[in-house]
Structure formats: C-alpha cells, structure tokens
Amino acid sequence: VQIAILLYDRLAALDAVGPYEVLSRLPGADVVTVGERTGPVRSDTGTLGLIVDHRIDDITTPDVVVVPGGPGKTTHLADGPVPRWLRAVDTTTTWTTSVCTGSLILAAAGLLTGRRATTYWRSIDELAAHGAIPVRERVVTDGKYVTGAGVSAGIDMALTLVAHIAGDAMAQRLQLTIEYDPQPPFDAGSPATAPADVLTALTT
Amino acid sequence: VQIAILLYDRLAALDAVGPYEVLSRLPGADVVTVGERTGPVRSDTGTLGLIVDHRIDDITTPDVVVVPGGPGKTTHLADGPVPRWLRAVDTTTTWTTSVCTGSLILAAAGLLTGRRATTYWRSIDELAAHGAIPVRERVVTDGKYVTGAGVSAGIDMALTLVAHIAGDAMAQRLQLTIEYDPQPPFDAGSPATAPADVLTALTT
C-alpha cells in the first residue's frame, strides 16, 4: 500500500510525524511525503524543516492519504493545487485521512460533506461550516474517511487506521514498537479536563 | 532559553518531533535543530527527511539539549563529534534530556554514570552496561537529567520538562495546545500490557 503524507509550509509537524511513525512501520507500506514542490517546508513555529520528496502531481494513485493540519492549512482551504489533488486521488484511495485541522482541508475540498468528522478542539465549529458533521471524538471513522483530533491525535488516528487496514494484532504490534503507553503528567489535554484558568488563558 | 534538538541519520523521527512540538511552543524558547552537518538527515525507515539548521560546533551553550534515539544511535555510542559535543555543552546546560535510546548516547558519553535513567523497553539492559541505573518508568528525572522511554514517550518527557522549567500551569497549557488527551485504541504500548503473542512477535 502506498501511503502519501501531505506536507506544506506552516503545518504542525507532529500532525504529520505522529502518523508517519506508525504507518512507516507497517509491513508492505510505502510511505511517501508529498507536497506542491519537492524540497523543504517549515513548520508553523518556523524552527523545524521537513522535506517533501514527491510532487503531488507525481503521486496519482496513493492507497492512503494523510492530511495534517496547522496554521498553513488556510492556504489550502481555497481551491488550488492541493484541494484539486485531494479530490483527484480520493476517487481511488482506500482511506482518506486527516489530523487536526487537516480535516478542514478535506472538508473545504468537498470530501467530507454530510460525513461525521473531527478536528482540533478550537476548530470544531469550522467543520460544520464546510459541510461536515462535527463530532467531538479522538478519532472518527465514517466510511473510508478517518479523521483525528488535534496534533497529538495523529498517533491514535494512525493506530486506528492500521487496525482497519491490517487488523488489531498489527496495530498492537506497532503500538508496542513505538512504546505508545502514554502517561501525560497532567490531565489537561482536552478542554473538558483542563483547569479552567488554563483553558481561559488559551481562549481569551 | 535555547533548546537544541539533536538530529542525525537513522533517528526515530517522533523521538525528536514529539518534544519539538511541545518545546517550540514554550514562550521565550528558542528551539534549534543541530547535527554534525547542516542539511537533510533521513529517518530510520528512510522515508522522512528532516533538516539540520545548525552545526553542533556553532551551538556551544544551549540551555537544554534533547537527544533522540533510533538505530542511528549506534554511530554515536563510540566516541566522536556528537559525544564530545554533548560532554562539552553538558557542563553549562540547565537540562540534558533524551528520548528512547537517546539515553544510551548520553550514557555512553559518560553523562549518566550512577544516575537513574530510562530508555526504550527493548534497550533497558544496555543502559546499565553504560553505567546508568536503569529504571522502567515513562519519564525519569535525576538532577538535571530527564530521560524518556521509547519513541512516543518524548511527548511525556517534554511536558515533564516544561513543568520543571516553567511550572505546571505552562505544561498544562502546552498539553491543551497540542490536544494531548491520548486515547490509544489498544492497551498494547508496554511489554507489561501487550498481548503475549504481540510481544513474542517482536522479541523472537
């Protein structure tokens, strides 16, 4: 299976690298990074460079597409090369997936219309504006569309995707391979659990 | 605070990008990627390129150092430019940290002698061979040395580090920013919890 991970300027790097770390270890998977141009893109903070190995125009029939989010998503909400590519490859993908605000790109491209999907906690209302049915869950599967919540949720999304593709035992094997036994030092990762003052600091 | 994240060929990308995602959002932090040479390095699977922005020789007094792991660590267990740089900068760091088998690099460089530390679950015995006291915990802090377990543990390590540097409220704020509310679809991320056949498949 060919798995194309989209990279673009001002993405949230973990959105892409979390799924990469899981999916690149799936036996038989051919993971490729794709973007409008080959060469470096910079993350949203500007301090990390990632390399695009393939032009989107050269990857025409990926089995799986992964669309990360981040501030740079805005560029790809209007029609352009990336939404056009997503619509084209989606006609033959087995799975079309996203992390964080990557689902807004998919939705704006018209691929999530009437479908249940999730996104970054701060952007959940925008999903509806683009025609999707927003769901506040960590990972949402609707048909062949698998969307993850914010940033770090790409790991959970990718393990769910592996279970869909290759079964639970393989997903468990990859989970153990990346020692994904999360033990956050605080219970503050969701607006539902974060201390009120922490949530207020981010939303006002 | 200047935070130097070491990159090298055949690293596990998430080892570096997990902490990057947290630490690059710490107000006042100046995150820099460092390596023997500037330019691209490839991840352990070969399918992801990351960019080194600074030569280690040019970053001489970082406040924090983050050392990721991965198969490429082997190159840096013998003495050479990276261990020499680590020993030099460690004399002035506030925090010296690692993820996964990055702790083997620190230990082989002589920086964890007699100190409690952790590493990737498959490599825990190697830590002792390099003079550290291996501890099977997700994140271990001993003095200014903070080590994380395998691959995905870099996120937990970085949040713990932020709590040390800037307090619990800031760590919680960054946790919410990256929506780190992990919900693994399986309980297989540790050799203690993974199904027996999954563990056997990886260790035989």
Side-chain angles (χ1 to χ4, degrees):
Chain A
V1 289
Q2 187 182 56
I3 301 174
I5 300 179
L6 181 70
L7 301 178
Y8 54 84
D9 274 314
R10 298 203 301 132
L11 87 167
L14 184 57
D15 287 23
V17 175
Y20 152 83
E21 196 67 48
V22 173
L23 300 173
S24 65
R25 300 178 189 287
L26 177 65
D30 169 31
V31 169
V32 293
T33 54
V34 300
E36 284 189 73
R37 284 165 294 277
T38 57
V41 296
R42 301 298 294 193
S43 65
D44 50 4
T45 66
T47 54
L48 182 66
L50 300 169
I51 299 173
V52 173
D53 287 331
H54 302 271
R55 293 172 62 241
I56 47 178
D57 293 346
D58 293 332
I59 302 293
T60 55
T61 56
D63 301 289
V64 178
V65 169
V66 180
V67 180
K73 71 176 184 301
T74 311
T75 305
H76 307 294
L77 296 181
D79 207 9
V82 164
R84 282 197 292 271
W85 176 77
L86 287 169
R87 276 193 297 269
V89 297
D90 182 67
T91 60
T92 53
T93 56
T94 310
W95 300 97
T96 295
T97 77
S98 66
V99 180
C100 197
T101 52
S103 59
L104 298 182
I105 298 178
L106 290 178
L111 299 177
L112 296 179
T113 305
R115 292 197 177 268
R116 299 169 70 254
T118 191
T119 190
Y120 189 43
W121 64 272
R122 300 191 66 161
S123 303
I124 196 86
D125 293 339
E126 286 182 65
L127 258 187
H130 290 292
I133 302 166
V135 179
R136 291 181 182 269
E137 291 174 9
R138 187 75 174 164
V139 179
V140 174
T141 302
D142 185 338
K144 73 172 187 178
Y145 300 91
V146 186
T147 54
V151 198
S152 59
I155 301 173
D156 298 323
M157 188 284 286
L159 289 169
T160 302
L161 179 61
V162 168
H164 290 329
I165 294 174
D168 290 2
M170 179 56 71
Q172 291 168 330
R173 177 169 158 178
L174 299 188
Q175 184 181 354
L176 182 56
T177 300
I178 66 162
E179 200 166 347
Y180 186 48
D181 176 31
Q183 296 173 28
F186 306 99
D187 185 12
S190 145
T193 61
D197 54 340
V198 169
L199 184 59
T200 302
L202 280 184
T203 51
T204 53
Chain B
V1 289
Q2 187 182 56
I3 301 174
I5 301 179
L6 181 70
L7 300 179
Y8 54 85
D9 273 312
R10 298 202 301 132
L11 87 167
L14 184 56
D15 287 23
V17 175
Y20 152 82
E21 196 67 48
V22 173
L23 299 172
S24 65
R25 299 179 189 285
L26 177 65
D30 169 32
V31 169
V32 292
T33 54
V34 300
E36 285 188 73
R37 283 166 295 278
T38 57
V41 296
R42 300 299 293 193
S43 64
D44 50 5
T45 66
T47 52
L48 181 67
L50 300 169
I51 298 171
V52 173
D53 286 331
H54 302 272
R55 294 172 60 240
I56 48 176
D57 294 347
D58 294 331
I59 302 292
T60 55
T61 56
D63 300 289
V64 178
V65 169
V66 179
V67 181
K73 71 177 184 302
T74 311
T75 306
H76 307 295
L77 296 181
D79 207 9
V82 164
R84 283 197 290 273
W85 177 76
L86 287 170
R87 276 193 297 270
V89 298
D90 182 68
T91 62
T92 53
T93 57
T94 310
W95 301 97
T96 295
T97 77
S98 66
V99 180
C100 197
T101 53
S103 59
L104 298 182
I105 298 178
L106 291 178
L111 299 177
L112 296 179
T113 305
R115 291 196 179 271
R116 298 169 72 253
T118 192
T119 190
Y120 188 43
W121 63 272
R122 299 192 66 160
S123 304
I124 196 88
D125 293 339
E126 286 181 65
L127 257 186
H130 290 292
I133 302 166
V135 179
R136 291 180 182 270
E137 291 174 10
R138 188 76 174 163
V139 179
V140 175
T141 302
D142 184 339
K144 73 172 187 179
Y145 300 91
V146 187
T147 53
V151 197
S152 59
I155 301 172
D156 297 323
M157 188 284 286
L159 289 170
T160 302
L161 179 61
V162 168
H164 291 328
I165 294 173
D168 290 1
M170 180 56 71
Q172 291 168 331
R173 177 170 159 177
L174 299 188
Q175 183 181 353
L176 181 56
T177 299
I178 66 163
E179 200 165 348
Y180 186 47
D181 176 31
Q183 296 173 31
F186 306 100
D187 185 13
S190 146
T193 61
D197 54 341
V198 168
L199 183 60
T200 302
L202 280 185
T203 51
T204 53

